[in-house]
Amino acid sequence: MNTFNEFVPTILGVLFLVVIWFVIRRILGSVSDKINNSEAYKEDTLKVLEEIRDELKELNRNNSKQS
């Protein structure tokens, strides 16, 4: 029983470090997901803007042919 009491602070210290490690991993994972979602949103927005640009070019061509 006496030897078990000697290892309790070590066991609690390791357990504390493991809990802190998982909390930090969750925080960093969440930040990474937000960055990745931001990149995907930016790419989607760029694609939509390019499509709008192409449609406007086509409309401009059609209008210049009619004039």
Side-chain angles (χ1 to χ4, degrees):
M1 185 69 178
N2 195 12
T3 56
F4 177 74
N5 288 337
E6 292 175 8
F7 290 114
V8 169
T10 306
I11 293 170
L12 291 177
V14 170
L15 186 60
F16 177 75
L17 290 175
V18 168
V19 168
I20 294 297
W21 171 252
F22 280 114
V23 169
I24 290 173
R25 279 187 55 202
R26 292 285 305 232
I27 291 170
L28 293 177
S30 175
V31 169
S32 176
D33 290 344
K34 288 190 183 293
I35 290 170
N36 290 338
N37 288 341
S38 173
E39 292 291 325
Y41 177 75
K42 186 168 69 172
E43 289 175 7
D44 291 343
T45 303
L46 183 62
K47 287 179 186 176
V48 169
L49 289 174
E50 288 174 349
E51 290 175 10
I52 292 171
R53 181 197 63 198
D54 293 341
E55 289 179 19
L56 287 173
K57 283 182 180 179
E58 186 65 31
L59 285 172
N60 193 19
R61 280 190 211 123
N62 291 341
N63 284 339
S64 66
K65 286 180 184 178
Q66 291 177 356
S67 297

